Amino acid sequence: MVLFEDKQESELLTEIAVAYYEYEQTQEEIAQRFGLSRIKVGRLLKKARAEGIVEISVKYHPIFSSRIEQQFVNHFGIKRALIALDHQDEEEQRRQVAALVSNYLSSTLKNGMTVAVGQGRNVAAIASHIGVFPEKQCKFICGIGGTQRVGEIIDADHISRSLARKFSASSETLYAPAYVENSELKRAFIQNRVIKDTLERAAKADIALVGIGDMNENCYMVQLGWFTPQEVTYATLNQGVIGDIAGYGFFDINGNPIDTTMNDRVIGLSIDELRNIPCVIAIASENSKATAILGALRSGVIDIIATSASNARTILSLQQNKI
Protein backbone atom coordinates (compact mmCIF):
# COMPACT_ATOMS: atom_id res chain seq x y z
CA MET A 1 0.00 0.00 0.00
CA VAL A 2 1.45 3.34 -1.05
CA LEU A 3 1.30 6.05 1.60
CA PHE A 4 0.74 9.71 0.76
CA GLU A 5 3.78 10.78 2.82
CA ASP A 6 6.12 8.52 0.83
CA LYS A 7 5.40 10.11 -2.52
CA GLN A 8 6.17 13.48 -4.01
CA GLU A 9 2.82 15.22 -4.35
CA SER A 10 3.18 15.83 -8.07
CA GLU A 11 3.93 12.15 -8.65
CA LEU A 12 0.95 11.13 -6.55
CA LEU A 13 -1.35 13.53 -8.38
CA THR A 14 -0.19 12.09 -11.69
CA GLU A 15 -0.66 8.47 -10.58
CA ILE A 16 -4.14 9.15 -9.23
CA ALA A 17 -5.11 11.07 -12.37
CA VAL A 18 -3.90 8.25 -14.63
CA ALA A 19 -5.78 5.67 -12.55
CA TYR A 20 -9.02 7.66 -12.64
CA TYR A 21 -9.05 9.11 -16.17
CA GLU A 22 -7.05 6.59 -18.18
CA TYR A 23 -7.72 3.29 -16.41
CA GLU A 24 -11.23 4.32 -15.29
CA GLN A 25 -10.81 3.14 -11.72
CA THR A 26 -13.39 4.43 -9.26
CA GLN A 27 -12.46 6.90 -6.53
CA GLU A 28 -13.17 4.15 -3.99
CA GLU A 29 -10.75 1.76 -5.72
CA ILE A 30 -8.09 4.48 -5.88
CA ALA A 31 -8.63 5.31 -2.19
CA GLN A 32 -8.03 1.68 -1.21
CA ARG A 33 -4.98 1.42 -3.46
CA PHE A 34 -3.26 4.53 -2.10
CA GLY A 35 -4.45 4.31 1.50
CA LEU A 36 -6.47 7.53 1.29
CA SER A 37 -10.05 8.49 1.99
CA ARG A 38 -12.40 8.81 -0.99
CA ILE A 39 -12.90 12.50 -0.11
CA LYS A 40 -9.12 13.03 -0.24
CA VAL A 41 -8.96 11.35 -3.65
CA GLY A 42 -11.66 13.69 -4.94
CA ARG A 43 -9.72 16.71 -3.69
CA LEU A 44 -6.49 15.47 -5.27
CA LEU A 45 -8.22 14.92 -8.62
CA LYS A 46 -9.53 18.47 -8.46
CA LYS A 47 -6.03 19.71 -7.64
CA ALA A 48 -4.60 17.75 -10.57
CA ARG A 49 -6.95 19.68 -12.88
CA ALA A 50 -6.13 23.02 -11.23
CA GLU A 51 -2.37 22.45 -11.63
CA GLY A 52 -2.65 21.40 -15.26
CA ILE A 53 -1.72 17.76 -14.73
CA VAL A 54 -5.13 16.94 -16.14
CA GLU A 55 -6.70 18.94 -18.96
CA ILE A 56 -10.37 18.23 -19.62
CA SER A 57 -11.72 19.17 -23.03
CA VAL A 58 -15.43 18.52 -23.38
CA LYS A 59 -16.56 17.97 -26.95
CA TYR A 60 -20.26 18.16 -27.56
CA HIS A 61 -22.22 17.38 -30.69
CA PRO A 62 -21.88 20.13 -33.30
CA ILE A 63 -25.67 20.25 -33.71
CA PHE A 64 -26.03 21.29 -30.05
CA SER A 65 -23.73 24.29 -30.35
CA SER A 66 -24.67 25.32 -33.86
CA ARG A 67 -28.40 25.42 -33.15
CA ILE A 68 -28.01 27.51 -30.00
CA GLU A 69 -25.44 29.76 -31.64
CA GLN A 70 -27.66 30.36 -34.66
CA GLN A 71 -30.53 31.36 -32.39
CA PHE A 72 -28.29 33.87 -30.63
CA VAL A 73 -27.12 35.28 -33.95
CA ASN A 74 -30.71 35.58 -35.19
CA HIS A 75 -32.11 37.13 -32.00
CA PHE A 76 -29.30 39.49 -31.07
CA GLY A 77 -27.29 40.08 -34.24
CA ILE A 78 -24.02 38.95 -32.68
CA LYS A 79 -21.14 37.24 -34.49
CA ARG A 80 -20.66 34.18 -32.27
CA ALA A 81 -21.97 32.46 -29.16
CA LEU A 82 -19.41 30.29 -27.36
CA ILE A 83 -21.43 27.85 -25.27
CA ALA A 84 -19.84 25.55 -22.67
CA LEU A 85 -21.53 22.49 -21.23
CA ASP A 86 -22.96 22.90 -17.73
CA HIS A 87 -20.88 22.02 -14.69
CA GLN A 88 -22.03 22.02 -11.08
CA ASP A 89 -18.75 23.40 -9.76
CA GLU A 90 -18.59 27.17 -10.35
CA GLU A 91 -14.83 27.27 -10.76
CA GLU A 92 -14.86 24.41 -13.25
CA GLN A 93 -17.69 26.10 -15.14
CA ARG A 94 -15.59 29.26 -15.33
CA ARG A 95 -12.64 27.26 -16.66
CA GLN A 96 -14.80 25.59 -19.31
CA VAL A 97 -16.11 28.93 -20.58
CA ALA A 98 -12.64 30.48 -20.45
CA ALA A 99 -11.21 27.59 -22.48
CA LEU A 100 -13.61 28.38 -25.33
CA VAL A 101 -12.56 32.04 -25.35
CA SER A 102 -8.88 31.13 -25.12
CA ASN A 103 -9.15 28.77 -28.07
CA TYR A 104 -11.14 31.34 -30.03
CA LEU A 105 -8.41 33.91 -29.47
CA SER A 106 -5.79 31.40 -30.55
CA SER A 107 -7.54 30.91 -33.90
CA THR A 108 -8.50 34.56 -34.42
CA LEU A 109 -5.56 36.70 -33.32
CA LYS A 110 -3.41 38.00 -36.15
CA ASN A 111 -0.12 39.83 -36.16
CA GLY A 112 -0.55 43.53 -35.50
CA MET A 113 -3.82 43.20 -33.57
CA THR A 114 -4.50 44.90 -30.23
CA VAL A 115 -6.66 43.38 -27.49
CA ALA A 116 -8.16 45.59 -24.76
CA VAL A 117 -8.30 43.63 -21.51
CA GLY A 118 -10.88 44.02 -18.73
CA GLN A 119 -10.77 42.76 -15.16
CA GLY A 120 -12.58 40.17 -13.04
CA ARG A 121 -12.69 36.44 -12.43
CA ASN A 122 -14.07 35.42 -15.82
CA VAL A 123 -11.53 37.43 -17.80
CA ALA A 124 -8.74 36.23 -15.50
CA ALA A 125 -9.72 32.61 -16.18
CA ILE A 126 -8.89 33.10 -19.87
CA ALA A 127 -5.31 34.00 -19.02
CA SER A 128 -5.13 31.04 -16.62
CA HIS A 129 -6.24 28.51 -19.24
CA ILE A 130 -3.41 26.06 -19.80
CA GLY A 131 -2.32 25.22 -23.31
CA VAL A 132 0.24 25.77 -26.03
CA PHE A 133 -0.54 28.76 -28.23
CA PRO A 134 1.14 30.12 -31.35
CA GLU A 135 3.29 33.22 -31.07
CA LYS A 136 1.47 36.37 -32.13
CA GLN A 137 3.01 39.75 -32.83
CA CYS A 138 0.14 41.56 -31.14
CA LYS A 139 -0.48 43.69 -28.06
CA PHE A 140 -2.63 43.23 -24.96
CA ILE A 141 -3.51 46.54 -23.35
CA CYS A 142 -5.39 47.32 -20.14
CA GLY A 143 -8.86 48.71 -20.77
CA ILE A 144 -9.35 49.53 -17.09
CA GLY A 145 -7.12 50.62 -14.22
CA GLY A 146 -5.71 48.48 -11.47
CA THR A 147 -7.56 46.86 -8.58
CA GLN A 148 -6.87 44.32 -5.87
CA ARG A 149 -8.81 41.55 -4.14
CA VAL A 150 -7.17 39.43 -1.47
CA GLY A 151 -6.84 35.82 -2.60
CA GLU A 152 -7.87 36.45 -6.22
CA ILE A 153 -5.88 37.84 -9.14
CA ILE A 154 -8.46 39.85 -11.05
CA ASP A 155 -6.36 42.87 -12.00
CA ALA A 156 -6.43 43.88 -15.68
CA ASP A 157 -2.67 44.46 -15.77
CA HIS A 158 -1.90 40.99 -14.38
CA ILE A 159 -4.36 39.45 -16.88
CA SER A 160 -2.91 41.44 -19.76
CA ARG A 161 0.64 40.39 -18.91
CA SER A 162 -0.41 36.74 -18.55
CA LEU A 163 -2.13 36.78 -21.94
CA ALA A 164 0.91 38.41 -23.50
CA ARG A 165 3.13 35.63 -22.12
CA LYS A 166 0.69 33.01 -23.39
CA PHE A 167 0.96 34.32 -26.96
CA SER A 168 4.57 35.62 -26.73
CA ALA A 169 3.12 39.09 -27.35
CA SER A 170 3.53 42.49 -25.65
CA SER A 171 1.50 44.16 -22.90
CA GLU A 172 0.73 47.76 -21.98
CA THR A 173 -0.24 48.88 -18.47
CA LEU A 174 -2.81 51.57 -17.65
CA TYR A 175 -1.07 53.45 -14.84
CA ALA A 176 -4.18 54.42 -12.89
CA PRO A 177 -6.46 52.90 -10.25
CA ALA A 178 -9.63 51.30 -11.53
CA TYR A 179 -11.81 52.94 -8.89
CA VAL A 180 -11.72 56.48 -7.48
CA GLU A 181 -14.06 58.10 -4.97
CA ASN A 182 -15.69 60.71 -7.21
CA SER A 183 -15.97 61.99 -10.78
CA GLU A 184 -13.72 64.99 -10.10
CA LEU A 185 -10.84 62.71 -9.13
CA LYS A 186 -11.46 60.59 -12.20
CA ARG A 187 -11.26 63.64 -14.47
CA ALA A 188 -8.00 64.64 -12.83
CA PHE A 189 -6.48 61.20 -13.50
CA ILE A 190 -7.50 60.99 -17.16
CA GLN A 191 -5.99 64.40 -17.84
CA ASN A 192 -2.62 62.79 -17.24
CA ARG A 193 -0.93 62.35 -20.62
CA VAL A 194 0.31 58.81 -19.98
CA ILE A 195 -3.10 57.59 -18.80
CA LYS A 196 -4.92 59.39 -21.59
CA ASP A 197 -2.64 57.96 -24.29
CA THR A 198 -3.08 54.40 -23.01
CA LEU A 199 -6.87 54.75 -22.94
CA GLU A 200 -6.84 56.17 -26.45
CA ARG A 201 -4.82 53.20 -27.70
CA ALA A 202 -7.13 50.79 -25.88
CA ALA A 203 -10.16 52.43 -27.51
CA LYS A 204 -8.66 51.61 -30.93
CA ALA A 205 -8.27 47.91 -30.12
CA ASP A 206 -9.42 45.20 -32.52
CA ILE A 207 -10.81 43.00 -29.72
CA ALA A 208 -11.98 43.68 -26.17
CA LEU A 209 -12.38 41.12 -23.38
CA VAL A 210 -14.94 42.14 -20.75
CA GLY A 211 -17.04 40.57 -18.04
CA ILE A 212 -20.77 40.95 -17.40
CA GLY A 213 -21.95 41.60 -13.85
CA ASP A 214 -25.33 41.06 -12.22
CA MET A 215 -26.58 43.68 -9.78
CA ASN A 216 -27.42 42.85 -6.18
CA GLU A 217 -26.29 44.10 -2.78
CA ASN A 218 -23.64 41.38 -2.63
CA CYS A 219 -22.42 41.70 -6.23
CA TYR A 220 -18.74 41.63 -7.07
CA MET A 221 -18.36 45.42 -7.28
CA VAL A 222 -19.80 45.71 -3.76
CA GLN A 223 -17.37 43.05 -2.53
CA LEU A 224 -14.52 45.07 -4.05
CA GLY A 225 -15.73 48.13 -2.15
CA TRP A 226 -16.42 50.17 -5.29
CA PHE A 227 -20.12 50.66 -4.59
CA THR A 228 -22.24 50.36 -1.46
CA PRO A 229 -25.14 47.88 -1.09
CA GLN A 230 -27.45 50.89 -0.74
CA GLU A 231 -26.30 52.39 -4.05
CA VAL A 232 -26.81 49.10 -5.85
CA THR A 233 -30.22 48.52 -4.27
CA TYR A 234 -31.41 52.00 -5.28
CA ALA A 235 -30.16 51.50 -8.85
CA THR A 236 -31.94 48.16 -9.21
CA LEU A 237 -35.24 49.04 -7.50
CA ASN A 238 -35.63 52.65 -8.62
CA GLN A 239 -33.77 52.79 -11.92
CA GLY A 240 -34.23 49.29 -13.31
CA VAL A 241 -30.52 48.42 -13.50
CA ILE A 242 -30.06 44.67 -14.00
CA GLY A 243 -26.39 44.41 -14.88
CA ASP A 244 -23.13 45.99 -15.97
CA ILE A 245 -20.54 45.56 -18.68
CA ALA A 246 -16.91 45.61 -17.52
CA GLY A 247 -17.99 46.40 -13.95
CA TYR A 248 -19.25 49.94 -14.47
CA GLY A 249 -21.43 50.32 -17.59
CA PHE A 250 -24.96 49.95 -16.19
CA PHE A 251 -28.02 48.97 -18.23
CA ASP A 252 -31.64 47.83 -17.90
CA ILE A 253 -33.33 44.68 -19.22
CA ASN A 254 -33.68 46.28 -22.66
CA GLY A 255 -30.01 47.16 -22.83
CA ASN A 256 -30.54 50.88 -22.34
CA PRO A 257 -27.70 52.64 -20.50
CA ILE A 258 -28.65 53.94 -17.06
CA ASP A 259 -27.07 57.00 -15.45
CA THR A 260 -26.58 56.15 -11.77
CA THR A 261 -24.83 57.70 -8.80
CA MET A 262 -22.16 55.01 -9.38
CA ASN A 263 -21.18 56.39 -12.78
CA ASP A 264 -17.92 58.25 -13.38
CA ARG A 265 -15.92 56.58 -10.62
CA VAL A 266 -14.09 53.98 -12.69
CA ILE A 267 -11.12 54.74 -14.94
CA GLY A 268 -11.54 52.62 -18.03
CA LEU A 269 -13.06 52.42 -21.49
CA SER A 270 -16.61 53.79 -21.67
CA ILE A 271 -19.54 51.84 -23.08
CA ASP A 272 -19.47 54.02 -26.20
CA GLU A 273 -15.77 53.34 -26.65
CA LEU A 274 -16.35 49.60 -26.28
CA ARG A 275 -19.18 49.84 -28.81
CA ASN A 276 -16.71 51.17 -31.40
CA ILE A 277 -14.30 48.25 -30.95
CA PRO A 278 -14.87 45.76 -33.83
CA CYS A 279 -15.10 42.63 -31.63
CA VAL A 280 -16.21 42.83 -28.00
CA ILE A 281 -16.12 39.42 -26.30
CA ALA A 282 -18.20 39.29 -23.12
CA ILE A 283 -17.68 36.43 -20.67
CA ALA A 284 -20.16 35.38 -17.97
CA SER A 285 -20.02 31.83 -16.65
CA GLU A 286 -22.16 32.08 -13.50
CA ASN A 287 -25.70 30.75 -13.83
CA SER A 288 -27.05 33.69 -11.82
CA LYS A 289 -26.30 36.06 -14.70
CA ALA A 290 -28.81 35.07 -17.40
CA THR A 291 -30.92 38.23 -17.03
CA ALA A 292 -27.84 40.46 -16.97
CA ILE A 293 -26.49 38.74 -20.10
CA LEU A 294 -29.82 39.29 -21.86
CA GLY A 295 -29.71 43.02 -21.14
CA ALA A 296 -26.08 43.20 -22.24
CA LEU A 297 -26.89 41.44 -25.52
CA ARG A 298 -29.71 43.90 -26.16
CA SER A 299 -27.34 46.83 -25.61
CA GLY A 300 -25.68 46.26 -28.97
CA VAL A 301 -22.21 46.48 -27.42
CA ILE A 302 -21.41 42.75 -27.51
CA ASP A 303 -20.23 40.89 -30.60
CA ILE A 304 -19.41 37.52 -29.01
CA ILE A 305 -20.92 36.04 -25.86
CA ALA A 306 -19.26 33.23 -23.92
CA THR A 307 -21.37 31.50 -21.28
CA SER A 308 -22.83 28.19 -20.11
CA ALA A 309 -25.49 26.08 -21.83
CA SER A 310 -27.83 26.68 -18.90
CA ASN A 311 -27.52 30.44 -19.26
CA ALA A 312 -27.96 30.16 -23.01
CA ARG A 313 -31.23 28.23 -22.68
CA THR A 314 -32.57 30.65 -20.06
CA ILE A 315 -31.68 33.67 -22.17
CA LEU A 316 -33.40 32.26 -25.25
CA SER A 317 -36.48 31.44 -23.20
CA LEU A 318 -36.62 34.97 -21.78
CA GLN A 319 -36.15 36.46 -25.24
CA GLN A 320 -38.86 34.29 -26.78
CA ASN A 321 -41.25 35.22 -23.97
CA LYS A 322 -40.43 38.90 -24.64
CA ILE A 323 -39.20 39.61 -21.14
Side-chain angles (χ1 to χ4, degrees):
M1 183 177 293
V2 181
L3 296 177
F4 177 77
E5 291 78 12
D6 296 332
K7 305 287 290 183
Q8 290 291 329
E9 187 178 64
S10 60
E11 294 178 1
L12 181 62
L13 290 175
T14 301
E15 286 191 46
I16 288 176
V18 169
Y20 186 72
Y21 291 104
E22 188 169 337
Y23 295 114
E24 299 183 346
Q25 294 182 357
T26 67
Q27 291 187 24
E28 185 64 39
E29 289 171 335
I30 295 170
Q32 293 178 3
R33 174 185 168 188
F34 287 91
L36 303 168
S37 68
R38 195 178 66 80
I39 293 175
K40 182 69 173 180
V41 170
R43 289 174 180 167
L44 290 173
L45 287 169
K46 186 175 181 179
K47 188 171 185 179
R49 295 196 301 272
E51 295 189 359
I53 293 172
V54 174
E55 291 185 28
I56 299 176
S57 178
V58 178
K59 294 183 179 180
Y60 46 85
H61 199 286
I63 291 177
F64 172 83
S65 59
S66 62
R67 283 180 178 174
I68 291 183
E69 183 168 12
Q70 191 58 51
Q71 290 180 73
F72 269 79
V73 171
N74 293 342
H75 283 300
F76 305 110
I78 62 175
K79 298 175 183 177
R80 292 290 310 272
L82 307 177
I83 310 298
L85 288 183
D86 294 324
H87 201 286
Q88 291 183 342
D89 182 77
E90 186 175 285
E91 288 300 319
E92 183 60 33
Q93 182 73 81
R94 187 173 292 118
R95 283 192 287 268
Q96 295 286 347
V97 173
L100 295 179
V101 179
S102 184
N103 291 332
Y104 178 82
L105 284 176
S106 179
S107 63
T108 304
L109 280 178
K110 294 180 174 58
N111 292 338
M113 280 188 167
T114 298
V115 181
V117 179
Q119 55 93 43
R121 291 172 290 186
N122 284 302
V123 182
I126 300 168
S128 300
H129 177 62
I130 297 169
V132 178
F133 299 92
E135 179 177 339
K136 301 289 184 180
Q137 295 177 8
C138 59
K139 174 185 281 188
F140 293 88
I141 184 169
C142 296
I144 185 173
T147 190
Q148 283 188 321
R149 178 171 170 81
V150 176
E152 289 185 298
I153 301 174
I154 62 164
D155 181 75
D157 185 49
H158 178 87
I159 299 169
S160 181
R161 291 173 185 270
S162 296
L163 286 168
R165 285 194 296 271
K166 181 191 293 282
F167 290 100
S168 300
S170 63
S171 174
E172 181 173 346
T173 300
L174 176 59
Y175 290 102
Y179 172 81
V180 292
E181 286 72 18
N182 54 62
S183 57
E184 290 78 13
L185 191 53
K186 174 183 175 178
R187 284 194 291 271
F189 266 104
I190 61 177
Q191 286 175 358
N192 176 273
R193 187 72 253 173
V194 174
I195 296 171
K196 187 176 181 181
D197 286 350
T198 299
L199 283 173
E200 287 177 353
R201 283 190 286 272
K204 296 176 182 177
D206 302 283
I207 298 172
L209 300 173
V210 297
I212 297 175
D214 54 342
M215 298 298 291
N216 59 71
E217 61 183 18
N218 192 42
C219 69
Y220 205 55
M221 298 302 102
V222 171
Q223 294 178 31
L224 286 175
W226 289 12
F227 313 123
T228 68
Q230 293 76 19
E231 287 173 329
V232 170
T233 299
Y234 182 86
T236 55
L237 296 181
N238 296 80
Q239 297 181 282
V241 172
I242 55 97
D244 67 77
I245 295 175
Y248 54 96
F250 306 104
F251 52 83
D252 63 17
I253 189 64
N254 295 312
N256 299 314
I258 303 295
D259 186 13
T260 77
T261 58
M262 298 176 286
N263 285 31
D264 291 329
R265 297 192 211 166
V266 178
I267 299 173
L269 296 176
S270 69
I271 291 296
D272 287 337
E273 287 171 325
L274 285 172
R275 195 188 306 276
N276 290 328
I277 291 176
C279 181
V280 175
I281 304 175
I283 309 101
S285 63
E286 299 85 354
N287 288 337
S288 61
K289 293 185 175 181
T291 306
I293 298 170
L294 176 60
L297 287 166
R298 288 171 173 172
S299 73
V301 174
I302 296 171
D303 300 288
I304 297 176
I305 184 66
T307 190
S308 66
S310 175
N311 273 340
R313 290 190 293 268
T314 301
I315 291 162
L316 291 173
S317 176
L318 291 171
Q319 176 73 1
Q320 289 163 1
N321 290 316
K322 299 181 179 179
I323 294 176

